Amino acid sequence: MKENWFEVIHEDKKSKARVGVLHTLHGDVFTPVFMPVGTQGTVKYLSNEELKAIGSQIILSNTYHLWLRPGENVIENAGGLQKFTNYNAPMLTDSGGFQVFSLASTRKINEEGVTFKNHLNGDLLFLSPEKSIQIQNKLGADIIMSFDECPAYPSEYDYLKNSVERTVRWAKRGKEVHQREDQALFGIVQGADKEELRKYSAEELVKIGFDGYSIGGTSVGEDKETMKKMVDYSVKYLPKNKPIYQMGIGSYDAIFEGVLRGVDMFDCVLPTRIARHGALMTSQGRINIRDKQYEYDLSPLDPECNCETCRNYTRSYLRHLYRVDEGLGKRLLSLHNLRFLLKLTEDMRKAILEDRFIEFKEEFFNKYNLNKINPKGF
């Protein structure tokens, strides 16, 4: 990828927050950005047209799941992910490393890669740094990830040290087989809550040289203060002229804290997953649509939201759809939660350009009374 593929447009004068732009083959992406997750080539219940209508700039798909079904060769035959899914906008694929982490009970890790069981049929699979990159080259997303290990939190120091060192070696091997100049390749910083390991990971990855850098190993069970330290320990040693991506983050308090520290990109299944269980992010704080208090409530879900759901449907009707398990209800609730986060990052970019990100953050938290309404932060 060309060196000028990422530009920093403006840095907030009172924090590390910044507005940037990613120039990709399929269009520009302005940061800070939240990326909806389309695990299997689709964001659950939503069409590409709906995603674009709510302001989605880029979506993430999962290498592990697409490798299993339909297979990277099927997608390559269609001309890549964008043509296969008819999504004519930027896309990102992860490496499969987190899925390996989630299959911990069946995995065996060695220097060559990871052996684990297919969650669909129990067959043994092997994924290496080279294989992960080769699959992603065929998938054809604009941004791809190095293969890494995401250790459980907490883990013993010696295990973490060995894991970080191996992840760096894997990153180098993956870069050596990366063949597409139209794909940006990111290295992934690991090291849990140990600054010396985060420092080593970041500095070694920078020596190898990547188009951007991801912060891995956050939101895996640690408390909020520990997560902040993990981000601080990573950003501190990364170049300012490259995009920084904190993986697996979808709560609005964590997005605020990441942007405050200089993070540009975020993704998570959280907004769609909790929507399917009736939990909504609104300008009036978190609500759960299944609660009986909404049975006769004819007001919109969120009076300050301009999404299709809030413009056209009442809380009473949405509660009904949820209770009878209608697919339309899951679609409308998912659409709203995604629009809420996308609008939030739009507002963040505006505040940064006006050098008032700190004030905007304080206004947001005061308005939503976050700690009282929702101690979990979504």
Side-chain angles (χ1 to χ4, degrees):
M1 187 64 76
K2 295 179 180 179
E3 279 300 311
N4 64 350
W5 88 282
F6 175 68
E7 297 179 74
V8 176
I9 297 174
H10 185 80
E11 295 181 65
D12 181 65
K13 289 182 169 58
K14 302 173 187 176
S15 71
K16 294 180 181 178
R18 60 192 192 166
V19 170
V21 58
L22 307 167
H23 301 291
T24 80
L25 182 66
H26 292 91
D28 290 346
V29 177
F30 290 91
T31 65
V33 62
F34 177 78
M35 301 179 285
V37 176
T39 301
Q40 302 190 80
T42 176
V43 178
K44 286 186 184 298
Y45 293 99
L46 300 181
S47 71
N48 295 333
E49 293 71 26
E50 288 169 325
L51 290 169
K52 291 177 182 178
I54 60 173
S56 176
Q57 301 184 78
I58 176 174
I59 63 173
L60 178 148
S61 284
N62 181 265
T63 293
Y64 168 74
H65 289 285
L66 294 175
W67 174 40
L68 297 187
R69 296 181 301 187
E72 70 273 25
N73 292 329
V74 172
I75 293 173
E76 183 183 40
N77 178 68
L81 267 173
Q82 274 90 348
K83 290 186 178 178
F84 183 66
T85 62
N86 195 33
Y87 184 76
N88 187 28
M91 296 185 76
L92 178 151
T93 48
D94 62 11
S95 69
F98 186 80
Q99 280 61 47
V100 171
F101 161 74
S102 67
L103 296 169
S105 62
T106 70
R107 72 183 182 187
K108 293 183 180 179
I109 303 174
N110 59 35
E111 187 63 26
E112 289 307 306
V114 185
T115 303
F116 54 101
K117 289 184 179 180
N118 182 329
H119 76 286
L120 298 173
N121 58 21
D123 288 350
L124 281 181
L125 298 172
F126 177 74
L127 195 57
S128 67
E130 292 86 356
K131 180 69 174 176
S132 173
I133 296 299
Q134 288 163 355
I135 293 169
Q136 292 182 84
N137 282 166
K138 289 186 175 184
L139 295 178
D142 301 273
I143 303 172
I144 68 176
M145 297 294 121
S146 298
F147 187 63
D148 67 321
E149 181 192 359
C150 182
Y153 180 86
S155 292
E156 295 293 330
Y157 183 87
D158 288 346
Y159 183 92
L160 288 172
K161 183 174 184 295
N162 290 332
S163 174
V164 165
E165 291 173 348
R166 183 171 53 237
T167 287
V168 169
R169 294 192 295 269
W170 282 358
K172 184 175 182 181
R173 285 166 52 188
K175 185 181 178 185
E176 287 172 352
V177 302
H178 179 44
Q179 296 182 340
R180 296 187 57 162
E181 293 184 359
D182 60 344
Q183 287 182 312
L185 174 60
F186 283 34
I188 302 178
V189 179
Q190 291 287 355
D193 57 349
K194 313 300 181 189
E195 182 171 8
E196 63 274 23
L197 295 181
R198 290 276 175 183
K199 179 177 185 291
Y200 170 83
S201 179
E203 290 181 341
E204 291 301 311
L205 291 173
V206 171
K207 288 178 186 177
I208 297 170
F210 290 92
D211 301 305
Y213 298 89
S214 301
I215 301 173
T218 65
S219 195
V220 292
E222 77 281 3
D223 59 70
K224 293 180 182 180
E225 291 305 312
T226 299
M227 181 192 290
K228 293 176 188 178
K229 291 178 183 177
M230 290 176 171
V231 176
D232 285 333
Y233 295 159
S234 301
V235 172
K236 185 177 180 180
Y237 302 103
L238 293 173
K240 292 184 178 181
N241 65 336
K242 297 291 179 73
I244 298 174
Y245 163 29
Q246 188 179 357
M247 308 175 79
I249 298 301
S251 63
Y252 40 75
D253 59 333
I255 293 175
F256 264 111
E257 294 300 336
V259 172
L260 183 68
R261 289 163 169 77
V263 178
D264 306 293
M265 305 164 66
F266 306 87
D267 83 281
C268 196
V269 297
L270 176 74
T272 49
R273 177 175 289 169
I274 65 172
R276 295 195 300 273
H277 293 282
L280 288 311
M281 306 171 180
T282 81
S283 62
Q284 300 172 347
R286 177 194 172 192
I287 69 171
N288 199 308
I289 202 65
R290 68 171 176 260
D291 291 351
K292 189 171 179 57
Q293 64 179 301
Y294 304 118
E295 184 174 9
Y296 293 94
D297 190 340
L298 299 181
S299 62
L301 179 61
D302 185 344
E304 296 184 18
C305 180
N306 63 355
C307 75
E308 175 187 344
T309 305
C310 295
R311 291 198 315 268
N312 297 301
Y313 302 99
T314 67
R315 294 179 176 184
S316 178
Y317 180 60
L318 293 169
R319 180 177 185 271
H320 161 69
L321 293 178
Y322 176 82
R323 294 185 71 241
V324 297
D325 198 28
E326 277 290 343
L328 175 62
K330 294 176 181 179
R331 181 178 76 80
L332 292 173
L333 298 178
S334 297
L335 187 149
H336 166 76
N337 270 0
L338 283 178
R339 177 54 192 159
F340 185 90
L341 285 185
L342 293 169
K343 176 64 162 57
L344 178 61
T345 52
E346 291 170 8
D347 292 342
M348 286 181 177
R349 294 195 294 271
K350 183 175 184 293
I352 294 167
L353 290 171
E354 296 172 352
D355 293 314
R356 55 179 308 275
F357 181 75
I358 296 292
E359 291 83 352
F360 174 66
K361 178 176 179 286
E362 292 175 353
E363 291 165 5
F364 181 94
F365 277 74
N366 288 336
K367 179 177 179 181
Y368 294 84
N369 199 5
L370 190 60
N371 292 327
K372 180 179 179 181
I373 295 175
N374 177 31
K376 290 186 178 182
F378 61 75

